[in-house]
């Protein structure tokens, strides 16, 4: 992707959007009878700029912007009708998509532009026109609202957005997302989603093969986020041990206990509470100095639960903890699960992407022995939000656990093989085709491309780590990060001579990261998160998953933090 904001597919990049799309301007469109194929230049294989498209006739243009005496859109437009109409909508959609490509995709990911334009919440409420109205807005007004939405949104695809465990605007993922929305499927039966049912089957099997399940056998689903995928794992594990739960409910159960790291994602505790197991029955296992589960504490807690008369049934290990990026010792956990007959789940929502790399997949050694895995391609593989999966080695357990055989949707006497009506194994009914954007990326890059992507982001993390170790004022929280989370403190010059064991040092250091974060957001130069953990004061957590970054970007981040915080 060009760093100068120029659209590589030939769309004209518009720097002054307001001038180009000013209300009432004669923006170019496509005539009613012009085939969509004419949007492509013969032999050039690229989209032309909107300004080069044939203009609509004055008469046709008038129909699109016709208003009554009161200035409101004419009733003849039938704006209430939920159906695309070439005469009424083609020009608007062309202008809208061009605006999105220029402002939300290409210009928004240009390093020379801001990550965000900070506005205080109360001022933003006054600035934005968010009111719901009785009468429809004109197309010109809708384009104005589009520009305002883009202007005031955080550009999460910007190279310097490294605030959470997602980032970038992958061009092929974006294309798949657009196609998904255009087709608007719901993936529950083959009759309404024939391509996507089969696509999910292929992608999920390949992911299970990469995890290490023999021949890719088992089952899997695309879930609405990693939290829900972890919830599915809890549900399947509980069903395996107590299948009567499906019909008899919680009254048929003993006290069930789950074990997970004290640094695990909060969703394990949240979903256990949601499912009636209770958050008190999620036993937090202590971690070592680099964030890994302590195996000896895990086994002692399993024995304690049994002595209490409870039923331990599941260990949820983590492959890439949210803050530190630690990988639990999966082989040792697998040994304990086998010894005590426990379901082994691996929350690899963040770190699962490392499985695509021959060099880094060793971080997850032992994952092939798990019963289930959460893996979010929208994290380390940079697929668009949201794209989360639950994979399991147990065939049919999702259906056994969740299906209800609703006869108005999952009829068994259809004219095709109803094994392809896969929706009943989900707790959702309507469900997006999250697979398409990921499959499209995979076809565009190949497995080799994903491996190069993973190797690049780890290379960036290693370069950043080595650079700050050599820079005065920067100190590592974890000396040698396992994943692409790099956690560190910046100690300003005025704090470097304060005794480290004093309360003054700790209190002042705790305030540095929040203040630097405030300054970078108000300037719009970067977004990097911070947090404390256990007894450690606030520190920065750089998370890298955008493979377009290079060593110069790593140096920029270090210089910018130093610039913003050197006077604190």
């Amino acid at each position: 992707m060009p760093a100068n904001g120029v659209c590589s597919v030939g769309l004209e990049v518009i720097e002054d959007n307001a001038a180009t799309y000013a209300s009432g301007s004669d923006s170019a469109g496509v005539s009613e009878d012009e085939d969509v194929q004419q949007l492509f230049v013969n032999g050039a294989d690229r989209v032309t700029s909107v300004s080069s498209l044939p203009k609509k006739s004055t008469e046709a243009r008038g129909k699109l912007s016709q208003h009554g005496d009161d200035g409101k859109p004419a009733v003849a437009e039938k704006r209430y009708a939920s159906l695309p109409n070439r005469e009424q909508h083609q020009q608007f959609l062309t202008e809208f998509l061009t605006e999105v490509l220029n402002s939300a995709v290409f210009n928004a990911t240009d390093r020379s532009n801001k990550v965000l334009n900070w506005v205080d919440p109360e001022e933003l409420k006054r600035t934005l026109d968010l009111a719901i109205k009785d009468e429809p807005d004109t197309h010109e007004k809708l384009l104005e609202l589009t520009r305002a939405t883009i202007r005031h949104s955080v550009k999460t695809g910007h190279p310097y957005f490294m605030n959470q465990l997602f980032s970038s605007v992958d061009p092929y993922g974006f294309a798949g997302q657009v196609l998904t929305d255009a087709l608007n499927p719901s993936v529950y039966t083959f009759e309404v989603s024939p391509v996507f049912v089969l696509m999910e089957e292929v992608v999920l099997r390949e992911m299970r093969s990469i995890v290490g399940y023999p021949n890719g056998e088992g089952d899997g689903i695309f879930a609405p986020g990693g939290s829900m995928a972890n919830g599915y794992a809890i549900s399947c594990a509980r069903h395996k041990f107590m299948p009567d739960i499906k019909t008899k409910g919680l009254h048929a159960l003993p006290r069930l206990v789950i074990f997970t790291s004290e640094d695990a994602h909060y969703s394990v505790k949240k979903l256990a509470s949601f499912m009636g197991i209770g958050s008190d029955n999620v036993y937090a296992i202590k971690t070592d100095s680099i964030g890994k589960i302590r195996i000896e504490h895990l086994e002692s807690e399993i024995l304690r639960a049994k002595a209490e008369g409870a039923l331990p049934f599941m260990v949820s290990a983590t492959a890439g903890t949210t803050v530190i990026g630690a990988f639990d010792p999966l082989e040792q956990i697998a040994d304990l699960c086998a010894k005590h007959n426990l379901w082994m789940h691996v929350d690899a929502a963040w770190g699962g992407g490392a499985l695509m790399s021959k060099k880094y997949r060793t971080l997850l050694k032992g994952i092939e022995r798990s019963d289930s895995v959460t893996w979010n391609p929208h994290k380390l593989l940079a697929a668009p939000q949201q794209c989360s999966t639950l994979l399991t080695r147990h065939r049919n357990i999702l259906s056994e656990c969740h299906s209800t055989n609703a006869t108005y949707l999952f009829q068994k006497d259809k004219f095709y093989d109803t094994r392809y009506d896969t929706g009943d194994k989900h707790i959702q009914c309507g469900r997006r085709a999250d697979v398409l954007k990921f499959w499209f990326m995979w076809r565009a890059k190949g497995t080799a491309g994903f491996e190069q992507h993973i190797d690049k982001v780890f290379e960036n993390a290693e370069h950043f780590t080595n650079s700050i170790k050599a820079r005065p004022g920067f100190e590592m929280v974890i000396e040698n990060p396992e994943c692409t989370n790099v956690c560190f403190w910046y100690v300003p010059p005025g704090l470097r001579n304060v005794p480290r064991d004093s309360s003054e040092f700790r209190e002042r250091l705790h305030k540095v990261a929040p203040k630097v974060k405030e300054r970078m957001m108000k300037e719009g130069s970067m977004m990097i998160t911070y947090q404390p953990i256990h007894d450690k004061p606030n520190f920065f957590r750089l998370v890298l998953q955008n493979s377009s970054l290079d060593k110069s970007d790593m140096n920029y981040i270090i210089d910018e933090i130093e610039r913003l915080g050197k006077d604190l």
Side-chain angles (χ1 to χ4, degrees), residues 296-310:
E296 68 281 0
H297 187 236
L298 173 57
E299 183 158 32
S300 70
E301 287 295 272
I302 293 171
L303 295 174
R304 177 170 76 90
K306 288 182 176 182
E308 294 169 347

Side-chain angles (χ1 to χ4, degrees), residues 202-471:
V202 169
V203 169
L204 291 169
R205 176 178 286 273
E206 185 64 23
M207 294 179 77
R208 290 193 298 270
S209 294
I210 292 170
V211 165
Y213 296 156
N215 300 315
E217 292 297 323
D219 205 350
I221 54 175
F222 279 81
S227 293
M228 289 304 299
N230 286 339
Y232 273 111
I234 296 171
S235 180
C236 290
R238 184 174 67 175
H239 180 83
K240 182 177 182 292
F241 282 86
M242 302 291 294
D244 283 350
I245 181 66
K246 184 174 181 180
T247 53
K248 293 183 172 58
L250 298 175
H251 297 290
L253 297 181
R255 182 168 71 90
L256 300 178
V257 175
I258 301 170
F259 307 91
T260 196
S261 160
E262 63 181 339
D263 294 340
H265 193 263
Y266 65 83
S267 59
V268 178
K269 184 172 286 190
K270 179 173 285 191
L271 268 295
S273 176
F274 178 78
M275 295 169 64
I277 293 170
S279 58
D280 285 349
N281 293 314
V282 178
Y283 286 20
I285 308 304
K286 294 177 182 177
T287 55
D288 61 19
S289 61
I290 57 174
K292 297 175 180 289
I293 269 184
R294 293 183 182 270
I295 290 296
E296 68 281 0
H297 187 236
L298 173 57
E299 183 158 32
S300 70
E301 287 295 272
I302 293 171
L303 295 174
R304 177 170 76 90
K306 288 182 176 182
E308 294 169 347
L311 178 63
F313 77 105
M314 178 182 185
V315 175
S316 180
T318 309
T321 55
T322 303
V323 177
I324 301 298
F327 289 79
D328 284 338
L330 301 183
E331 289 189 298
Q332 293 173 279
I333 292 171
D335 290 341
L336 275 184
C337 287
K339 178 179 177 181
H340 294 282
N341 191 31
L342 304 177
W343 180 286
M344 179 182 173
H345 175 64
V346 180
D347 179 0
W350 171 228
L355 289 166
M356 304 294 277
S357 166
K358 290 185 287 290
K359 181 177 180 180
Y360 294 102
R361 69 169 289 123
T362 55
L363 291 166
L364 297 99
K365 189 177 181 182
I367 195 171
E368 69 281 357
R369 298 173 63 188
S370 66
D371 292 284
S372 59
V373 172
T374 291
W375 179 0
N376 287 7
H378 74 238
K379 291 187 175 176
L380 204 50
L381 293 180
Q385 288 271 26
Q386 61 192 14
C387 190
S388 304
T389 64
L390 184 279
L391 311 167
T392 176
R393 66 167 58 252
H394 301 281
R395 296 185 64 183
N396 301 320
I397 194 168
L398 284 160
S399 292
E400 293 169 3
C401 186
H402 303 123
S403 64
T404 56
N405 298 306
T407 56
Y408 55 82
L409 187 58
F410 304 110
Q411 305 94 331
K412 299 304 182 185
D413 55 355
K414 293 179 180 179
F415 64 93
Y416 59 85
D417 187 345
T418 56
R419 288 179 301 170
Y420 293 102
D421 288 354
T422 57
D424 207 15
K425 65 184 178 182
H426 294 258
I427 59 173
Q428 294 172 265
C429 182
R431 189 169 59 87
R432 282 176 55 86
D434 287 331
V435 64
L436 177 55
K437 54 202 169 192
F438 183 43
W439 175 86
F440 207 76
M441 287 176 64
W442 209 331
R443 291 297 294 265
K445 301 168 186 283
T447 303
F450 276 138
E451 180 172 24
Q452 292 171 320
H453 164 84
I454 292 296
D455 290 349
K456 179 63 175 179
V457 295
F458 272 88
E459 176 189 318
N460 283 336
E462 289 161 11
H463 176 80
F464 185 88
T465 298
N466 292 333
S467 296
I468 62 174
K469 284 181 178 180
R471 181 77 71 98

